[in-house]
């Protein structure tokens, strides 16, 4: 009997995860059954259950895969000296994350932002999923903290700011941008990049003619 290659196994796993992600984004976690997932991916129950025991494991794997790839990207950036500027780094990582899932579409719109919101909702009821999310975000925060330390060491950022405060702010900007896409429709990552670039380029407000500060 011929052995199945790891490449084939990985592709099948990705097929199942992508199909499940579409179902969850379309109908929500609780309204989606494993039968819906089987129908979406066109596989038998045995083929799917070989990889995942049920919906909880599926959504945990989806979340873990996304956060894992994001963490790796930021950890790689943290090893650079200095790391890439925040606006370019965020746009590159988010753009890559969205591009990897651009084939997932619901009602003519990208499914990934909707899926993210579905996951946030489910974490309020599912402690195991919440733990996966906390661990993933914690690792991304830690990577961002090291990036900020790299900026500070290079003299590119004020040294009196706590790195974790900047890390939380950058993550909040990305999550807010994704939430906007879920609520109001797609927007290119260049919107976030340009907004961050404008904010980080600000300096002290110029003095007015009378010596007071404008604004």
């Amino acid at each position: 009997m011929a052995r199945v290659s790891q490449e084939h196994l990985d592709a099948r796993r990705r097929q199942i995860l992508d199909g499940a992600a579409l179902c969850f984004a379309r109908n929500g976690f609780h309204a989606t059954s494993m039968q819906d997932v089987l129908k979406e991916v066109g596989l038998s129950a045995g083929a799917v259950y070989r990889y995942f025991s049920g919906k909880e494991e599926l959504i945990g794997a989806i979340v873990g895969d996304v956060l894992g790839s994001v963490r790796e990207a930021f950890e790689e950036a943290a090893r650079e000296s200095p790391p890439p500027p925040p606006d370019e780094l965020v746009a590159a990582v988010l753009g890559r994350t969205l591009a990897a899932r651009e084939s997932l579409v619901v009602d003519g719109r990208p499914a990934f932002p909707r899926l993210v919101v579905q996951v946030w909702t489910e974490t309020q009821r599912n402690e195991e999923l919440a733990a996966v999310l906390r661990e993933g975000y914690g690792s991304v925060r830690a990577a961002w903290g090291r990036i900020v330390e790299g900026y500070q060491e290079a003299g590119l950022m004020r040294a009196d700011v706590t790195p974790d405060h900047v890390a939380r702010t950058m993550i909040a900007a990305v999550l807010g941008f994704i939430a906007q896409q879920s609520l109001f429709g797609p927007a290119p990552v260049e919107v976030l990049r340009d907004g961050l670039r404008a904010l980080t380029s600000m300096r002290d407000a110029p003095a007015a003619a009378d010596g007071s500060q404008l604004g």
Side-chain angles (χ1 to χ4, degrees):
M1 183 175 179
R3 295 181 62 184
V4 179
S5 70
Q6 187 62 47
E7 182 179 355
H8 174 82
L9 294 173
D10 292 343
R12 180 56 55 85
R13 180 179 183 275
R14 172 53 48 199
Q15 177 188 356
I16 296 169
L17 288 178
D18 286 349
L22 272 176
C23 290
F24 296 148
R26 183 186 299 123
N27 301 318
F29 183 72
H30 287 279
T32 298
S33 67
M34 282 301 291
Q35 193 61 40
D36 294 328
V37 176
L38 298 178
K39 182 178 179 181
E40 184 70 41
V41 299
L43 296 174
S44 67
V48 172
Y49 284 113
R50 176 182 181 183
Y51 294 86
F52 304 101
S53 61
K55 291 195 302 180
E56 288 76 12
E57 190 172 348
L58 274 168
I59 197 167
I62 292 169
V63 171
D65 277 7
V66 172
L67 291 175
S69 63
V70 170
R71 183 200 69 240
E72 290 172 5
F74 286 134
E75 287 179 345
E76 180 180 342
R79 290 191 289 269
E80 298 185 34
S81 182
D87 55 325
E88 295 180 8
L89 179 55
V90 166
V93 175
L94 181 57
R96 193 158 57 223
T97 301
L98 295 174
R101 294 157 183 84
E102 63 183 358
S103 63
L104 305 182
V105 177
V106 173
D107 298 331
R109 291 167 58 170
F112 182 70
R114 290 177 58 168
L115 178 64
V116 170
V117 174
Q118 292 286 354
V119 168
W120 291 343
T121 302
E122 181 59 21
T123 58
Q124 303 304 304
R125 297 186 288 259
N126 186 327
E127 180 54 35
E128 290 186 7
L129 180 60
V132 171
L133 203 61
R134 283 196 298 270
E135 180 181 358
Y137 280 137
S139 64
V140 172
R141 259 177 60 198
W144 252 114
R146 291 191 291 275
I147 290 170
V148 174
E149 290 171 354
Y151 295 150
Q152 292 173 328
E153 291 169 2
L156 301 174
M157 184 175 288
R158 287 171 45 176
D160 61 342
V161 178
T162 303
D164 186 59
H165 293 182
V166 181
R168 285 174 175 266
T169 300
M170 296 306 299
I171 293 173
V174 173
L175 294 182
F177 186 69
I178 292 173
Q180 286 183 29
Q181 293 196 54
S182 176
L183 293 170
F184 309 123
V189 295
E190 287 77 16
V191 171
L192 180 60
R193 181 201 65 193
D194 293 348
L196 290 173
R197 181 173 297 168
L199 289 172
T200 55
S201 67
M202 292 178 65
R203 298 291 184 268
D204 293 339
D210 61 1
S212 62
Q213 293 293 309
L214 297 176

